[in-house]
Amino acid sequence: MGLKQSAVTIQDVARAAGVSVSTASRVLNNKDDVSPETFEKVRRVMQEMNYVASLAAKSMRSRATNVIGLLVPQVTDIFYQQIIHGVGLGIRDSGYDLMIYTAERPGLSKSESWEQEHVALLSNGLTDGCIVVTPMAPTFPDGSRVVVVDPQGDGANVPSIVTPNREGALEGMRYLIALGHRRVGFISGHYAALSSVRRSEAYRDALAEAGLPYLPDLVRSGDFTRERGYAAALELLRLPEPPTAIFAANDKSAIGALDAARDLGLVVPRDLSILGFDNIPEAAQVAPKLTTVDQAIQEMGTLAIQLLFSLLKGEDLAESRVLVPTQLIRRDSCQPPRDS
């Protein structure tokens, strides 16, 4: 005879999975010191034994857990760290605890199914509501107490926090063109990210608006990393007629471009102007300080938790969309081209 849902314990799960109780507990708490094979095995046993349902049954006695779930692709990236910090500021003194889940685990990649599975897990009595950052697909089951931040697709069916990526990138490009730059290189972000698509569109639109041609040779594919920004900038700067300015789709790529310019003996901004996007803390710490488009990353996290609290109070926020404006931050990495 099988165990009743209410009788299932972590000891039962450990015994069935053939692991120690401490290992089963680490899997439950999403620790990163468990092998992918063991992690998946214990998770499967938890599902088969309805262990999550057992936890949910316990929480139903009070009808609330006073826990907020936060799903992020990774915690080592400064973009996600800033959002986590913003959520932390917003949840302070609220009486809620924060549970963070991440796909940053060997053998486990972020995907739409990962998001759906973990939202279901957290919503099944473990938390009162969830925040999902940069979801691959921003649609969730009806009635989900979920807020999404910077969704990677259009048409969110839950409250969302978004940035006008196209408008912010347009402002940055217009600034470079107004300085007199006519050959502006572009380092794109990850091809699958909606933010990257919008910033790429803005690059083309700004050129067209100024009557400048779009030159494929001045565009390099990137993935929002410093390493790829460095490699892409090297390619651009080694062209027979290199750009006088580079617009990178995020600050990490822009800082990579700074590294490349330095290694080639170029002085920024005398020989090359560089513009980023995001305004991460490091942008104000590099030399020269990076001119960038600020998208108030930390504020996005704080607004997300405020929106979720309103949702938990029963306010009708279906498909509500909060727009966080961008702002051009002028520092030291841009000036008119030398031949202007």
Side-chain angles (χ1 to χ4, degrees), residues 146-228:
V146 174
V147 171
V148 297
V149 178
D150 193 26
Q152 298 304 297
D154 289 317
N157 70 332
V158 294
S160 58
I161 309 292
V162 297
T163 293
N165 286 283
R166 180 181 177 277
E167 289 75 7
L170 270 176
E171 184 180 12
M173 279 294 296
R174 286 167 178 162
Y175 172 65
L176 290 176
I177 292 170
L179 287 175
H181 294 282
R182 296 297 177 264
R183 287 184 62 81
V184 180
F186 180 62
I187 302 174
S188 68
H190 193 278
Y191 74 94
L194 182 64
S195 58
S196 177
V197 172
R198 295 291 181 258
R199 294 170 199 179
S200 297
E201 291 173 349
Y203 171 76
R204 285 175 172 263
D205 292 344
L207 292 174
E209 179 181 88
L212 299 173
Y214 171 78
L215 303 174
D217 281 351
L218 291 181
V219 178
R220 290 295 183 275
S221 176
D223 60 2
F224 288 139
T225 66
R226 184 169 182 167
E227 294 76 17
R228 182 54 197 155

Side-chain angles (χ1 to χ4, degrees), residues 69-233:
L70 176 61
L71 269 66
V72 291
Q74 55 178 291
V75 295
T76 55
D77 185 282
I78 187 63
F79 177 85
Y80 299 112
Q81 289 173 356
Q82 288 291 294
I83 290 180
I84 292 170
H85 184 54
V87 172
L89 290 175
I91 207 171
R92 182 183 297 171
D93 300 324
S94 67
Y96 282 87
D97 290 320
L98 187 64
M99 178 187 293
I100 300 176
Y101 268 60
T102 173
E104 196 172 42
R105 174 188 308 282
L108 185 64
S109 60
K110 180 175 182 284
S111 65
E112 181 179 343
S113 61
W114 177 87
E115 293 161 358
Q116 299 290 351
E117 174 188 342
H118 282 74
V119 166
L121 173 70
L122 294 175
S123 298
N124 195 13
L126 291 180
T127 68
D128 293 335
C130 301
I131 296 171
V132 187
V133 183
T134 60
M136 302 295 288
T139 56
F140 296 89
D142 292 341
S144 297
R145 292 168 296 182
V146 174
V147 171
V148 297
V149 178
D150 193 26
Q152 298 304 297
D154 289 317
N157 70 332
V158 294
S160 58
I161 309 292
V162 297
T163 293
N165 286 283
R166 180 181 177 277
E167 289 75 7
L170 270 176
E171 184 180 12
M173 279 294 296
R174 286 167 178 162
Y175 172 65
L176 290 176
I177 292 170
L179 287 175
H181 294 282
R182 296 297 177 264
R183 287 184 62 81
V184 180
F186 180 62
I187 302 174
S188 68
H190 193 278
Y191 74 94
L194 182 64
S195 58
S196 177
V197 172
R198 295 291 181 258
R199 294 170 199 179
S200 297
E201 291 173 349
Y203 171 76
R204 285 175 172 263
D205 292 344
L207 292 174
E209 179 181 88
L212 299 173
Y214 171 78
L215 303 174
D217 281 351
L218 291 181
V219 178
R220 290 295 183 275
S221 176
D223 60 2
F224 288 139
T225 66
R226 184 169 182 167
E227 294 76 17
R228 182 54 197 155
Y230 177 87

Side-chain angles (χ1 to χ4, degrees), residues 41-72:
K41 179 181 180 181
V42 175
R43 278 291 184 195
R44 184 171 63 253
V45 170
M46 286 180 177
Q47 292 173 354
E48 291 172 353
M49 300 182 71
N50 258 337
Y51 181 61
V52 171
S54 174
L55 293 179
K58 294 178 182 178
S59 69
M60 285 298 289
R61 296 170 187 166
S62 63
R63 299 279 181 178
T65 66
N66 289 330
V67 175
I68 297 298
L70 176 61
L71 269 66
V72 291

Side-chain angles (χ1 to χ4, degrees), residues 10 19 24 32 58 97 113 124 169 190 239-240 242 255 324 329:
I10 193 70
V19 299
D32 59 5
K58 294 178 182 178
D97 290 320
S113 61
N124 195 13
H190 193 278
L239 290 172
I255 292 170
V324 181
I329 306 296

